[in-house]
Amino acid sequence: ETTYRKLIKQAKEQLNVKLILVEPFVLPVNEAQKTWREDLDPKIQVVRKLANEFQALYVPLDGLFAQAGTQTGPAYWAPDGVHPSPAGSALIAQAWLNAVKV
């Protein structure tokens, strides 16, 4: 959190930009990956907190992928649970466009 905050602060001060923070995600495709939530969930909370703190746009990928995975199964969106397929990449792109309202 400290490092991420420092990077965001530097970017805003040096570049005078509006930031978009993208939530990390995991779509467990095997049993072992289900334990990854313990590590990932606190990181997601930090990204949400920093997005609010710095008034950044926010793309909630973990929730979007979880919802999408209920319709098709997680491997459709991210075959290994973390790297998006073409469909997963399209989902990310649409979520980003929705966030910036393009």
Side-chain angles (χ1 to χ4, degrees), residues 9 15 20-21 23 26-28 49 66 69 74 79 84 87 90 95 101:
K9 197 171 183 180
L15 304 173
I20 303 169
L21 300 187
E23 183 176 271
V26 66
L27 275 171
K49 176 181 169 182
K101 306 216 183 338

Side-chain angles (χ1 to χ4, degrees), residues 17-51:
V17 294
K18 179 81 173 167
L19 297 174
I20 303 169
L21 300 187
V22 179
E23 183 176 271
F25 72 93
V26 66
L27 275 171
V29 294
N30 61 55
E31 286 300 311
Q33 288 175 323
K34 290 181 180 180
T35 63
W36 295 3
R37 300 262 22 135
E38 293 174 31
D39 180 63
L40 185 64
D41 287 344
K43 291 175 181 171
I44 290 171
Q45 293 306 316
V46 166
V47 176
R48 289 176 182 169
K49 176 181 169 182
L50 292 173

